[in-house]
Amino acid sequence: MYTLIIANKNYSTWSLRPWLLMTQLEIPFEEALIPFGSPDWHKNPSPTGQVPCLSDRQKDGSVIAVWDSLAITEYVADEYPQVWPQDKKAKAWARCATAEMHSGFHTLRSICTNNIGLRIDISAKTEPALLKDISRIEQLWIEGLDTFGGPFLAGEKFSAVDAFFAPVAFRFQTYGIKLSDKAANYADFLRSQPAMQNWYQASLAETWRDEPHEADARNAGPWIQDLRAI
């Protein structure tokens, strides 16, 4: 049985990716949530001390620890091939887009930090690098939808590439980022998935606050709304 160690759902984009992937595809796992700054953080078996980390207990009692969201995705795909599209072209594209999301879009990550329960005005942020990141994500989404026919990025079925862009869909909602119609419709569609709604509601219900993440949100711009539980 897999155990997925994650952090606060309101903040942790990297936790969301494998959690959403396995939940949406109905791959069995147990969730272990350790809040940022918790004294239980040492229980995370990842050698980097970061989340997510997948713990896979073997029949002999030993445990395989898999850290990093992309590594977890590939590890799970060995047993569950539906993680990736089955069509060769779609699979290749999905892997490339996933890798680009995994390693890129640093300005978006830096300015629009993840805080699902907030609505923040970033209209004053006009950095060309941020606009470039947003434009590239739109381009990728539209390319996938047009090439493979939707409604998911690589075709009819949800796959890892959708999971990796899921935090972006939440970020665009938090910061009110305007998108073209096709990209906006995909973001709405992705956020409407049952597993995404499950994560969203759990994020709003959290009462933990991690000051470094809160400071990032304050630096991003004025808060319009805070939907989180007190």
Side-chain angles (χ1 to χ4, degrees):
M1 169 65 80
Y2 297 144
T3 298
L4 183 66
I5 295 91
I6 63 174
N8 311 57
K9 292 181 178 179
N10 183 58
Y11 301 127
S12 184
T13 61
W14 296 111
S15 296
L16 170 57
R17 292 178 170 103
W19 184 97
L20 177 64
L21 180 71
M22 292 192 285
T23 302
Q24 187 78 7
L25 296 180
E26 299 182 344
I27 297 171
F29 73 98
E30 295 180 350
E31 173 189 314
L33 193 156
I34 307 174
F36 288 114
S38 166
D40 292 330
W41 195 258
H42 69 280
K43 295 179 181 179
N44 178 8
S46 170
T48 66
Q50 298 178 338
V51 292
C53 184
L54 187 74
S55 177
D56 185 12
R57 185 168 296 279
Q58 306 299 292
K59 291 180 179 179
D60 63 2
S62 62
V63 174
I64 297 174
V66 186
W67 61 98
D68 184 273
S69 58
L70 187 54
I72 293 170
T73 297
E74 293 292 7
Y75 183 83
V76 172
D78 287 341
E79 187 172 356
Y80 297 93
Q82 67 267 36
V83 162
W84 295 109
Q86 297 307 294
D87 175 76
K88 186 175 182 179
K89 181 180 178 180
K91 185 176 184 178
W93 182 89
R95 278 184 154 152
C96 289
T98 297
E100 186 173 346
M101 181 67 251
H102 185 258
S103 62
F105 305 107
H106 299 294
T107 304
L108 177 69
R109 297 180 198 273
S110 175
I111 294 176
C112 300
T113 58
N114 198 61
N115 205 312
I116 291 174
L118 297 180
R119 300 295 179 266
I120 301 174
D121 179 7
I122 60 160
S123 57
K125 305 287 187 181
T126 59
E127 287 88 335
L130 175 60
L131 301 178
K132 182 179 179 181
D133 277 357
I134 295 169
S135 177
R136 175 56 183 157
I137 289 170
E138 284 194 272
Q139 181 184 10
L140 273 171
W141 286 4
I142 292 170
E143 179 183 346
L145 294 169
D146 286 348
T147 303
F148 305 109
F152 295 102
L153 289 180
E156 295 182 355
K157 297 180 179 180
F158 178 94
S159 67
V161 67
D162 300 289
F164 269 72
F165 280 100
V168 175
F170 280 138
R171 274 187 166 102
F172 287 168
Q173 177 176 256
T174 293
Y175 294 95
I177 293 173
K178 303 300 182 185
L179 304 170
S180 63
D181 288 346
K182 183 166 283 190
N185 289 340
Y186 169 72
D188 287 341
F189 175 70
L190 186 57
R191 288 192 297 263
S192 75
Q193 297 307 300
M196 284 283 277
Q197 284 296 304
N198 182 315
W199 183 276
Y200 179 69
Q201 294 301 328
S203 297
L204 299 188
E206 289 180 346
T207 56
W208 300 299
R209 298 291 184 267
D210 180 64
E211 180 50 32
H213 287 89
E214 296 295 287
D216 287 340
R218 288 193 293 271
N219 290 334
W223 293 9
I224 301 169
Q225 197 173 14
D226 188 344
L227 302 171
R228 300 172 298 176
I230 298 173

